[in-house]
Amino acid sequence: MAAMTRGSSTLFRRWLTQQCRRRSAAHVALRLLPAAAAATATPQRRWPVRGMDYRASPRAPLHASAARRGPVVQFKLSDIGEGITEVTVKEWYVKEGDKVSQFDSICEVQSDKASVTITSRYDGVIGKLYYRADDVALVGKPLVDIDTEPASDAIQEEDVVETPAMAREEHTHQEIKGLKTQATPAVRRLAMENNIKLSEVVGSGKDGRILKEDILNFLAKQTGAILPPSPFRETASADPPPAARPMPPPPPRVPAGRDSVEPLKGFQKAMAKSMTAALAIPHLGLCDEVDLGRLVELRSELAPEARAQGLKLSYMPFFIKAASLCLARFPVLNASLDEGCQNVTYKASHNIGVAMDTDLGLLVPTVKNVQRLSILEVAWELNRLQELGAAGQLGTADLSGGTFSLSNIGSIGGTYARPVILPPEVAIGALGRIQVLPRFDASGQVTRAHVMKVSWSADHRLVDGATMCRFSNTWRDFLQNPAAMLLHLK
Ligand code: CO6
C-alpha cells in the first residue's frame, strides 16, 4: 500500500505541477482583467465585484447640482445591502483638510458581515469627518463633508461608493499631474501620514505599483533613517510548527484594577448572534482519531512543489476534499432544517466553511462548490481566503453560503474541541493537532503513528448518531488512505 501511495503520489505530483501552471496563468489573467477595466472605466461605473449588493443607494440630486457650483457635499453612508443598518468605522484614510480625488479611499468600515472600503466620487478637500475610528456609523447618516472643486466633472448622484475591501486594489488608480499612481489604501495612508506625495515616489511593484517598502525607502532617504528588516510575511515554510509558535503578548486593554465595559461590534456581535441561535440546536457529539501517517508522507512530498508555484499546501485541503466526498454519500449532513422543523433542504453545493482565527476574531469563510474542485483548487481557494482573512478583507460573498464546516483547532495547538454548529448548517467537525503517538499496528507491533483527534457535532433533530459515525468512518478512511481519494478526483 505504501508503494501504491508512492506510485500514485508521483502521478499526483506531475498532475499537480500541470494544475499549478494552469492555475498561475488563470490567476494572473484574473488579476489583470479588473485592473485593465478600471483604467478604462468611466467615473460613472459601479464596480462589478463578486459578492456585493449593487442596489442603487438613495439618490441625492441636490448634491449633484450643487456640486457643479463647487459646494460642500455631504456624503451619507448609503445602503450596503444585506439589511445592514450600522457599521464600525475601522480606519480613516483621510483627515480634515486633505485633498482627495475620485476613487481615493476615504475610510474602511466593518459591518457584522464584511469589511467595506468607502471611496470618493469627487475631487475636492475633506471638510469634516463625522466619526472617529471605532465609532459606529449609521446607514443614511452623514459620513464626511467634501468641499468639491468647481470644475469637477466627477459629480455623481450617489453619495458614496462602497466596495468590498477585498477588491480595493482595483480602485486605487489615481491621476496626479498626468501620472497614474497605483497603491493600496494602507500604502496611501502611510504616505499621507508622512506627508509624502505618491506622485514623487517610484513604485517598485508590478506595473509601477507603489509598495509600503517604497514609501519607507523614500522616507529613509529624506530623513537618513536606517530601515528595519522588511515587515512582510515570510513564506509558510519558515513558520515554526504550531506547538512552537511564540505566545502573542496579551493586549493591554483593561487598565489594572478597573472594570471596563465595551459594546460588542462587528464580527464579535455576529458571533454572539449566531452562537445564541446555535443554542436552540440539540447537538450530538462524536469523537474519533485518525492515523494520518500516509497523508503526512504524501503532503511532505507534494508541499515543496506546490510552494515553488506559490501555493501553501497544508493538510486542510485534504480534510476539506475528503469531507466533500463523504457529503456526497451522506447528503443529510449537507442540509438545513426549516424553522418549524417541517422541511429539510438538501444542498446541491458543498460550500465548506473553514473556521479562521483572524485579528478581527473568529470568521468562517467558505470554500464554495468543493464537490467540483480538486484538492489543489481547494488549496488555492483556501490560500486566497487566508490572505484576505489576514488582511481583514473578507467580503460578504466569502463569508456566507456555508453548508458544512470544519474547524482546525490543531493549527493553533488544540487537541480536542466540542464544535458548535453554525446555523443553518447541521454539522461541523473540529480537528485537533497531529501528534506522534505510539499505536499498535495490524500485527500487534507498537509503531509511531500520526494521530489526529476529530470531534463532530450534528443537529440531532435531523442527523442520528449512526449516520454521523458512518460519515466519520468514511472520512477517516479517505485520510488514512489518501491515495483512495485519487479515484474520485476529476
Ligand atoms: N496538526 C499539526 N499541524 C497542523 C495542523 C494540525 N491539525 N493544522 C495545520 N498544521 C500545520 C500546517 O500544515 C502548516 O504547517 P507547514 O505547512 O509545515 O508550515 C502550519 O501548521 C500552519 O498552517 P495554517 O494554520 O497556516 O494553515 P491550515 O491550512 O492548516 O489552516 C486555518 C488554515 C484557517 C484553518 C488556520 O490558519 C486557522 O485559522 N486555524 C484556527 C481555527 C480556529 O480558530 N478554530 C476555532 C474555532 S472555535 O471550533 C471552535 C469549538 C471551538 C473550539
Side-chain angles (χ1 to χ4, degrees), residues 352-421:
I352 300 191
V354 178
M356 197 172 276
D357 180 38
T358 75
D359 288 348
L360 297 173
L362 170 66
L363 299 182
V364 190
T366 54
V367 181
K368 302 276 192 318
N369 290 305
V370 178
Q371 80 281 4
R372 293 209 295 257
L373 302 183
S374 65
I375 292 171
L376 194 63
E377 287 166 331
V378 172
W380 279 111
E381 188 57 4
L382 189 60
N383 278 216
R384 183 184 74 81
L385 294 172
Q386 259 189 291
E387 266 176 40
L388 290 174
Q393 293 178 5
L394 282 163
T396 315
D398 287 323
L399 290 170
S400 55
T403 59
F404 178 91
S405 291
L406 288 176
S407 171
N408 182 1
I409 196 72
S411 69
I412 42 181
T415 307
Y416 307 91
R418 193 163 71 85
V420 181
I421 297 165

Side-chain angles (χ1 to χ4, degrees), residues 135-164:
D135 282 354
V136 172
L138 300 176
V139 168
K141 298 286 178 208
L143 187 66
V144 63
D145 287 350
I146 297 185
D147 294 334
T148 57
E149 287 175 5
S152 173
D153 58 354
I155 305 307
Q156 304 296 302
E157 291 184 341
E158 289 161 6
D159 298 328
V160 290
V161 175
E162 305 87 14
T163 56

Side-chain angles (χ1 to χ4, degrees), residues 221-418:
K221 272 186 209 142
Q222 279 188 334
T223 60
I226 296 168
L227 283 183
S230 169
F232 295 105
R233 270 171 44 156
E234 298 293 322
T235 57
S237 60
D239 281 350
R245 273 189 195 152
M247 288 281 287
R253 291 175 67 87
V254 184
R258 270 202 318 212
D259 296 348
S260 110
V261 179
E262 289 178 10
L264 287 186
K265 288 179 192 164
F267 290 120
Q268 208 175 13
K269 201 167 176 178
M271 182 167 76
K273 202 168 143 194
S274 67
M275 290 298 103
T276 303
L279 270 181
I281 301 173
H283 283 55
L284 74 76
L286 181 105
C287 304
D288 203 348
E289 65 174 45
V290 190
D291 181 350
L292 293 176
R294 283 181 185 153
L295 180 63
V296 168
E297 199 182 318
L298 181 66
R299 190 192 78 110
S300 69
E301 284 181 43
L302 299 175
E305 210 145 332
R307 199 177 302 127
Q309 309 287 338
L311 173 73
K312 183 186 74 173
L313 184 66
S314 64
Y315 297 104
M316 275 310 272
F318 297 91
F319 300 154
I320 293 170
K321 186 64 194 180
S324 171
L325 295 175
C326 298
L327 291 175
R329 296 179 189 196
F330 301 93
V332 71
L333 287 158
N334 195 54
S336 70
L337 201 55
D338 68 6
E339 272 194 19
C341 293
Q342 299 298 315
N343 301 291
V344 52
T345 305
Y346 295 94
K347 304 287 176 81
S349 303
H350 299 168
N351 296 342
I352 300 191
V354 178
M356 197 172 276
D357 180 38
T358 75
D359 288 348
L360 297 173
L362 170 66
L363 299 182
V364 190
T366 54
V367 181
K368 302 276 192 318
N369 290 305
V370 178
Q371 80 281 4
R372 293 209 295 257
L373 302 183
S374 65
I375 292 171
L376 194 63
E377 287 166 331
V378 172
W380 279 111
E381 188 57 4
L382 189 60
N383 278 216
R384 183 184 74 81
L385 294 172
Q386 259 189 291
E387 266 176 40
L388 290 174
Q393 293 178 5
L394 282 163
T396 315
D398 287 323
L399 290 170
S400 55
T403 59
F404 178 91
S405 291
L406 288 176
S407 171
N408 182 1
I409 196 72
S411 69
I412 42 181
T415 307
Y416 307 91
R418 193 163 71 85

Side-chain angles (χ1 to χ4, degrees), residues 15 31 54 104 137 148 180 189 279 301 343 402 421 445:
W15 170 84
R31 286 185 68 82
Y54 291 105
D104 276 0
T148 57
K180 190 197 291 177
R189 195 172 131 259
L279 270 181
E301 284 181 43
N343 301 291
I421 297 165
Q445 302 300 309

Side-chain angles (χ1 to χ4, degrees), residues 102-116:
Q102 304 164 56
F103 304 124
D104 276 0
S105 299
I106 290 181
C107 66
E108 186 155 337
V109 299
Q110 175 82 58
S111 77
D112 58 357
K113 297 201 172 90
S115 188
V116 173

